[in-house]
Amino acid sequence: MEKTVKIKVDGLYKTYLDARGRVYDALKKIDLEVYEGELLCLLGPSGCGKTTLLRIMAGFEQPSRGYVAIDGGIVEKPHVKYMILFQNYGLFPWRTVLGNTEYGLEVNGVPARQRKEKAMELVRLVGLEKFAHNHPHQLSGGMQQRTAVARALAVDPEVIFMDEPLGALDAMTRLKMQEEIVRLWQDKRKTIVFVTHDISEAVYLSDRIAIMSLSPGRISKLVDVPLGRPRNRSGADFARVQDFIYAEFEMSIREEIDYYI
Amino acid sequence: MKKKEIKKKIFRPVSFLPLEKIIYPLITLLAFTGIWHGLSTMYPTYQLPSPLDVCRGMMELWGEGVIWEHIRVSLFRFSVAYFLAAASGIFLGLLFGWHIRLHAAFDPFVQMLRPISPIAWFPLAILWFKVGDPPAIFIIYLAAFFPILLTTIAAVRSVEHIYLQVALNFGTRERDILTKIIIPAAFPQIMVGLHLALGSAWIHLVAGEMLGAQSGLGFLIIDARNFLRTDWIISGMIFIGLLGLALDKCMGWMEKRINLLWGHVMKN
Ligand SMILES: Nc1ncnc2c1ncn2[C@@H]1O[C@H](COP(=O)(O)OP(=O)(O)O)[C@@H](O)[C@H]1O
Ligand SMILES: [Mg+2]
């Protein structure tokens, strides 16, 4: 199958000033190509710049150097075709599940009847039809997550960026949501860039994993995940890939210590 | 051991029997009335009427329908002033909250005007608005306007950034950002301002009606003093207190509903 590049990150740097006013690289020379329709995970320890990279890819921040291009066009500001799901969802508490899901259609001029139908369809897709008229605070963390996914899918985006979307969920819900995300991805065939610091989550979800390391934040390794779907978490192959990623991860941390010495 | 006891004290859930909620204030009320009655025997009626006198005075005011006219007039002035204050306070609050430069330009001015008691505006109110409804409305307006303005500005400022980012991601136009994000997101906090202003406005209602008005609860009190009808003065005060309490309860109820809908956890 021919792979087309959907997102291209080229020679990207992001520098910030630290507490003492010195310049440091939060992201250093990031080169990355994300293929159309793939599910790619950015995997790395806390503080390695995953959120920063994702926000730049989604157009919420500008790189200090280098660029991000989607479909050949440089990303300069957020666009409704490229949805980002924030770490804490950002659901509107004054709107119901349905109201939240409708939002994107509403501000883009879709007539009321049509957008209600479309939103309801998505609410059903994420399994929240019974809660369509509830407000976010009446939902569990997993349901809030689903609502955020439904809201993003409603505008039929081409790319979805997810920033540790399952981080706040309990272990069981988390596994369930991972399956849901794979199901939705296979159903809708969107390009997904998924940020996580959980190795087994990355292995379960990804076609490829970009392993990131700290100080400066960079991509230290790009790994293909040679597993079919649906994936079996308790299978031997799964464990092997997970061990491999773990080893790479360790190595990237060791490099980092070398870097300091 | 000691620590444990302290902990117990702190974390012991306080639970009331429903009856207790009625009984305790009732005891306070009875005690208060008793002391009042005792004191009233030591003073002439025009200085301190007995509770019974005041009860009679209240019945009188009520029976002749006088009180209703005063209440009607007062509520009218109050509503007009409060509505104007809410409309202008929220409008300007949204404007200043959203446009930083505009806020910078007006803030010192607002900060300077704010500490001036509405009562200090009396002379100007009379010079400008003569007698009747307008000066009273003006004073009540001032009392309500500043709390609403300031809380609205603060509310807009503290709208969570993530809502704006989500809005931006969906390609929301600026007009929609105001109506679909800023206003609903700031609404619970604006309600707090409206609630504060309600109390402040009601307190200043009486003051406003003491100048040049020929009706209203404030006027009732002043007028009763001219006739040394101290029982009516106190009756008027009780009516003012009860109405204020009722208004506050209504507002509290609305606030609670909104917070419930918005998923805000109410403090207290
Ligand atoms: N606006 C900012 N100003 C200064 N430093 C920042 C800013 N945003 C992020 N950083 C720094 O950049 C680094 C990467 O942060 P982040 O992208 O949030 O990491 P991650 O999401 O992987 O945990 C951190 O050291 C963080 O302190
Ligand atoms: Mg992060």
Side-chain angles (χ1 to χ4, degrees), chain A residues 3-47:
Chain A
K3 287 175 179 169
T4 36
V5 173
K6 183 76 182 172
I7 308 170
K8 184 173 173 62
V9 182
D10 196 358
L12 186 140
Y13 284 71
K14 183 72 184 180
T15 50
Y16 285 122
L17 295 180
D18 70 6
R20 291 193 214 144
R22 284 178 312 195
V23 175
Y24 73 95
D25 294 323
L27 292 172
K28 182 171 181 174
K29 199 171 182 319
I30 306 284
D31 295 305
L32 179 67
E33 287 181 339
V34 184
Y35 303 124
E36 174 119 42
E38 89 168 320
L39 204 170
L40 179 130
C41 274
L42 297 174
L43 174 71
S46 186

Side-chain angles (χ1 to χ4, degrees), chain B residues 230-266:
Chain B
T230 317
D231 55 335
W232 282 10
I233 295 180
I234 296 177
S235 305
M237 289 169 69
I238 292 174
F239 279 120
I240 289 165
L242 288 176
L243 270 173
L245 182 69
L247 283 172
D248 187 75
K249 285 274 180 239
C250 280
M251 199 68 179
W253 179 80
M254 282 203 290
E255 215 180 332
K256 215 181 217 162
R257 298 267 332 177
I258 283 159
N259 278 312
L260 217 64
L261 218 56
W262 259 245
H264 284 232
V265 195
M266 286 279 270

